[in-house]
mmCIF file of all heavy atoms in Angstrom:
data_model
loop_
_atom_site.group_PDB
_atom_site.id
_atom_site.type_symbol
_atom_site.label_atom_id
_atom_site.label_comp_id
_atom_site.label_asym_id
_atom_site.label_seq_id
_atom_site.Cartn_x
_atom_site.Cartn_y
_atom_site.Cartn_z
ATOM 1 N N GLN A 18 0.842 -1.183 0.006
ATOM 2 C CA GLN A 18 -0.002 -0.007 -0.013
ATOM 3 C C GLN A 18 0.884 1.243 -0.002
ATOM 4 O O GLN A 18 1.892 1.316 0.707
ATOM 5 C CB GLN A 18 -0.922 0.001 1.232
ATOM 6 C CG GLN A 18 -2.080 -0.975 1.091
ATOM 7 C CD GLN A 18 -3.154 -0.694 2.127
ATOM 8 O OE1 GLN A 18 -3.025 -1.107 3.284
ATOM 9 N NE2 GLN A 18 -4.233 -0.043 1.720
ATOM 10 N N CYS A 19 0.451 2.244 -0.776
ATOM 11 C CA CYS A 19 1.265 3.431 -0.979
ATOM 12 C C CYS A 19 0.508 4.639 -0.411
ATOM 13 O O CYS A 19 -0.661 4.835 -0.713
ATOM 14 C CB CYS A 19 1.532 3.620 -2.450
ATOM 15 S SG CYS A 19 2.680 4.938 -2.861
ATOM 16 N N PRO A 20 1.178 5.445 0.386
ATOM 17 C CA PRO A 20 0.503 6.658 0.963
ATOM 18 C C PRO A 20 0.271 7.735 -0.073
ATOM 19 O O PRO A 20 0.791 7.671 -1.190
ATOM 20 C CB PRO A 20 1.482 7.123 2.044
ATOM 21 C CG PRO A 20 2.823 6.685 1.562
ATOM 22 C CD PRO A 20 2.557 5.377 0.851
ATOM 23 N N GLY A 21 -0.491 8.729 0.301
ATOM 24 C CA GLY A 21 -0.720 9.874 -0.557
ATOM 25 C C GLY A 21 0.489 10.762 -0.671
ATOM 26 O O GLY A 21 1.523 10.544 -0.020
ATOM 27 N N ASP A 22 0.381 11.823 -1.459
ATOM 28 C CA ASP A 22 1.534 12.662 -1.764
ATOM 29 C C ASP A 22 1.715 13.854 -0.846
ATOM 30 O O ASP A 22 2.624 14.661 -1.059
ATOM 31 C CB ASP A 22 1.424 13.174 -3.221
ATOM 32 C CG ASP A 22 1.649 12.061 -4.252
ATOM 33 O OD1 ASP A 22 2.191 11.033 -3.855
ATOM 34 O OD2 ASP A 22 1.243 12.256 -5.424
ATOM 35 N N GLY A 23 0.897 13.983 0.175
ATOM 36 C CA GLY A 23 1.070 15.123 1.093
ATOM 37 C C GLY A 23 2.133 14.850 2.136
ATOM 38 O O GLY A 23 2.382 13.728 2.532
ATOM 39 N N GLY A 24 2.843 15.949 2.557
ATOM 40 C CA GLY A 24 3.824 15.820 3.654
ATOM 41 C C GLY A 24 4.921 14.830 3.262
ATOM 42 O O GLY A 24 5.344 14.731 2.114
ATOM 43 N N ILE A 25 5.399 14.107 4.259
ATOM 44 C CA ILE A 25 6.466 13.127 4.028
ATOM 45 C C ILE A 25 5.968 11.926 3.280
ATOM 46 O O ILE A 25 6.745 11.083 2.803
ATOM 47 C CB ILE A 25 7.161 12.733 5.364
ATOM 48 C CG1 ILE A 25 8.556 12.146 5.089
ATOM 49 C CG2 ILE A 25 6.274 11.786 6.147
ATOM 50 C CD1 ILE A 25 9.384 11.901 6.335
ATOM 51 N N GLY A 26 4.624 11.849 3.108
ATOM 52 C CA GLY A 26 4.053 10.782 2.293
ATOM 53 C C GLY A 26 4.589 10.816 0.870
ATOM 54 O O GLY A 26 4.728 9.766 0.213
ATOM 55 N N LEU A 27 4.940 11.999 0.364
ATOM 56 C CA LEU A 27 5.518 12.103 -0.996
ATOM 57 C C LEU A 27 6.841 11.360 -1.071
ATOM 58 O O LEU A 27 7.145 10.707 -2.059
ATOM 59 C CB LEU A 27 5.709 13.589 -1.364
ATOM 60 C CG LEU A 27 6.354 13.863 -2.713
ATOM 61 C CD1 LEU A 27 5.486 13.334 -3.856
ATOM 62 C CD2 LEU A 27 6.599 15.371 -2.889
ATOM 63 N N ALA A 28 7.635 11.450 0.011
ATOM 64 C CA ALA A 28 8.909 10.745 0.039
ATOM 65 C C ALA A 28 8.715 9.222 0.143
ATOM 66 O O ALA A 28 9.416 8.463 -0.530
ATOM 67 C CB ALA A 28 9.755 11.224 1.222
ATOM 68 N N VAL A 29 7.751 8.822 0.956
ATOM 69 C CA VAL A 29 7.482 7.376 1.081
ATOM 70 C C VAL A 29 6.981 6.813 -0.252
ATOM 71 O O VAL A 29 7.426 5.749 -0.711
ATOM 72 C CB VAL A 29 6.479 7.105 2.218
ATOM 73 C CG1 VAL A 29 6.179 5.599 2.318
ATOM 74 C CG2 VAL A 29 6.995 7.637 3.532
ATOM 75 N N ALA A 30 6.054 7.549 -0.887
ATOM 76 C CA ALA A 30 5.537 7.106 -2.172
ATOM 77 C C ALA A 30 6.632 7.056 -3.214
ATOM 78 O O ALA A 30 6.704 6.114 -4.023
ATOM 79 C CB ALA A 30 4.405 8.048 -2.620
ATOM 80 N N ASN A 31 7.522 8.047 -3.222
ATOM 81 C CA ASN A 31 8.648 8.068 -4.183
ATOM 82 C C ASN A 31 9.513 6.829 -4.019
ATOM 83 O O ASN A 31 9.914 6.186 -4.996
ATOM 84 C CB ASN A 31 9.462 9.347 -3.975
ATOM 85 C CG ASN A 31 10.741 9.369 -4.733
ATOM 86 O OD1 ASN A 31 11.794 9.019 -4.192
ATOM 87 N ND2 ASN A 31 10.704 9.780 -5.991
ATOM 88 N N ARG A 32 9.828 6.455 -2.771
ATOM 89 C CA ARG A 32 10.711 5.293 -2.511
ATOM 90 C C ARG A 32 9.990 3.991 -2.951
ATOM 91 O O ARG A 32 10.592 3.116 -3.540
ATOM 92 C CB ARG A 32 11.128 5.208 -1.081
ATOM 93 C CG ARG A 32 11.849 6.426 -0.496
ATOM 94 C CD ARG A 32 12.890 7.038 -1.409
ATOM 95 N NE ARG A 32 13.704 8.019 -0.717
ATOM 96 C CZ ARG A 32 13.453 9.319 -0.652
ATOM 97 N NH1 ARG A 32 12.369 9.801 -1.248
ATOM 98 N NH2 ARG A 32 14.240 10.146 -0.002
ATOM 99 N N LEU A 33 8.715 3.907 -2.625
ATOM 100 C CA LEU A 33 7.970 2.707 -2.984
ATOM 101 C C LEU A 33 7.836 2.584 -4.507
ATOM 102 O O LEU A 33 7.973 1.527 -5.064
ATOM 103 C CB LEU A 33 6.570 2.716 -2.362
ATOM 104 C CG LEU A 33 6.357 1.910 -1.109
ATOM 105 C CD1 LEU A 33 4.939 2.043 -0.589
ATOM 106 C CD2 LEU A 33 6.704 0.446 -1.339
ATOM 107 N N ASN A 34 7.578 3.698 -5.160
ATOM 108 C CA ASN A 34 7.453 3.687 -6.623
ATOM 109 C C ASN A 34 8.776 3.257 -7.290
ATOM 110 O O ASN A 34 8.766 2.511 -8.252
ATOM 111 C CB ASN A 34 7.042 5.060 -7.116
ATOM 112 C CG ASN A 34 5.624 5.419 -6.691
ATOM 113 O OD1 ASN A 34 4.844 4.578 -6.282
ATOM 114 N ND2 ASN A 34 5.330 6.710 -6.757
ATOM 115 N N LYS A 35 9.903 3.719 -6.725
ATOM 116 C CA LYS A 35 11.188 3.321 -7.289
ATOM 117 C C LYS A 35 11.473 1.844 -6.998
ATOM 118 O O LYS A 35 12.035 1.143 -7.830
ATOM 119 C CB LYS A 35 12.303 4.223 -6.754
ATOM 120 C CG LYS A 35 12.319 5.595 -7.387
ATOM 121 C CD LYS A 35 13.485 6.433 -6.896
ATOM 122 C CE LYS A 35 13.595 7.734 -7.667
ATOM 123 N NZ LYS A 35 14.026 7.535 -9.054
ATOM 124 N N ALA A 36 11.088 1.390 -5.794
ATOM 125 C CA ALA A 36 11.264 -0.014 -5.472
ATOM 126 C C ALA A 36 10.442 -0.878 -6.410
ATOM 127 O O ALA A 36 10.833 -2.010 -6.764
ATOM 128 C CB ALA A 36 10.851 -0.279 -4.028
ATOM 129 N N ALA A 37 9.307 -0.358 -6.869
ATOM 130 C CA ALA A 37 8.420 -1.105 -7.758
ATOM 131 C C ALA A 37 8.772 -0.887 -9.225
ATOM 132 O O ALA A 37 8.073 -1.422 -10.121
ATOM 133 C CB ALA A 37 6.984 -0.662 -7.520
ATOM 134 N N GLY A 38 9.856 -0.115 -9.496
ATOM 135 C CA GLY A 38 10.171 0.192 -10.888
ATOM 136 C C GLY A 38 9.019 0.970 -11.544
ATOM 137 O O GLY A 38 8.771 0.811 -12.738
ATOM 138 N N PHE A 39 8.315 1.774 -10.717
ATOM 139 C CA PHE A 39 7.148 2.558 -11.154
ATOM 140 C C PHE A 39 6.022 1.701 -11.690
ATOM 141 O O PHE A 39 5.219 2.127 -12.526
ATOM 142 C CB PHE A 39 7.566 3.653 -12.161
ATOM 143 C CG PHE A 39 8.319 4.761 -11.522
ATOM 144 C CD1 PHE A 39 9.691 4.713 -11.385
ATOM 145 C CD2 PHE A 39 7.641 5.846 -10.985
ATOM 146 C CE1 PHE A 39 10.396 5.739 -10.757
ATOM 147 C CE2 PHE A 39 8.343 6.883 -10.368
ATOM 148 C CZ PHE A 39 9.699 6.823 -10.243
ATOM 149 N N HIS A 40 5.934 0.458 -11.187
ATOM 150 C CA HIS A 40 4.761 -0.400 -11.424
ATOM 151 C C HIS A 40 3.720 -0.024 -10.362
ATOM 152 O O HIS A 40 3.704 -0.566 -9.277
ATOM 153 C CB HIS A 40 5.132 -1.873 -11.325
ATOM 154 C CG HIS A 40 3.972 -2.793 -11.647
ATOM 155 N ND1 HIS A 40 4.056 -4.172 -11.493
ATOM 156 C CD2 HIS A 40 2.730 -2.543 -12.121
ATOM 157 C CE1 HIS A 40 2.928 -4.713 -11.839
ATOM 158 N NE2 HIS A 40 2.123 -3.740 -12.237
ATOM 159 N N ILE A 41 2.863 0.960 -10.706
ATOM 160 C CA ILE A 41 1.935 1.567 -9.735
ATOM 161 C C ILE A 41 0.505 1.330 -10.219
ATOM 162 O O ILE A 41 0.201 1.535 -11.404
ATOM 163 C CB ILE A 41 2.177 3.066 -9.592
ATOM 164 C CG1 ILE A 41 3.644 3.349 -9.299
ATOM 165 C CG2 ILE A 41 1.272 3.670 -8.542
ATOM 166 C CD1 ILE A 41 4.069 4.776 -9.603
ATOM 167 N N ILE A 42 -0.351 0.900 -9.326
ATOM 168 C CA ILE A 42 -1.763 0.754 -9.617
ATOM 169 C C ILE A 42 -2.536 1.774 -8.854
ATOM 170 O O ILE A 42 -2.470 1.853 -7.618
ATOM 171 C CB ILE A 42 -2.261 -0.670 -9.255
ATOM 172 C CG1 ILE A 42 -1.549 -1.694 -10.158
ATOM 173 C CG2 ILE A 42 -3.750 -0.812 -9.409
ATOM 174 C CD1 ILE A 42 -1.773 -3.159 -9.791
ATOM 175 N N GLU A 43 -3.332 2.592 -9.544
ATOM 176 C CA GLU A 43 -4.178 3.616 -8.922
ATOM 177 C C GLU A 43 -5.554 3.011 -8.700
ATOM 178 O O GLU A 43 -6.130 2.367 -9.613
ATOM 179 C CB GLU A 43 -4.294 4.849 -9.819
ATOM 180 C CG GLU A 43 -2.975 5.520 -10.127
ATOM 181 C CD GLU A 43 -2.521 6.462 -9.032
ATOM 182 O OE1 GLU A 43 -3.282 6.631 -8.067
ATOM 183 O OE2 GLU A 43 -1.400 7.034 -9.186
#
């Protein structure tokens, strides 16, 4: 599960997206 883009959530989402090779499901 990926957090939203507000606050430090943007950093967590960025790291998860890179870990996933930007394989992201909205």
Side-chain angles (χ1 to χ4, degrees):
Q18 284 196 281
C19 188
D22 289 342
I25 200 172
L27 178 62
V29 179
N31 171 264
R32 303 317 191 270
L33 260 180
N34 293 343
K35 284 184 173 290
F39 287 88
H40 184 188
I41 308 160
I42 295 172
E43 300 278 356

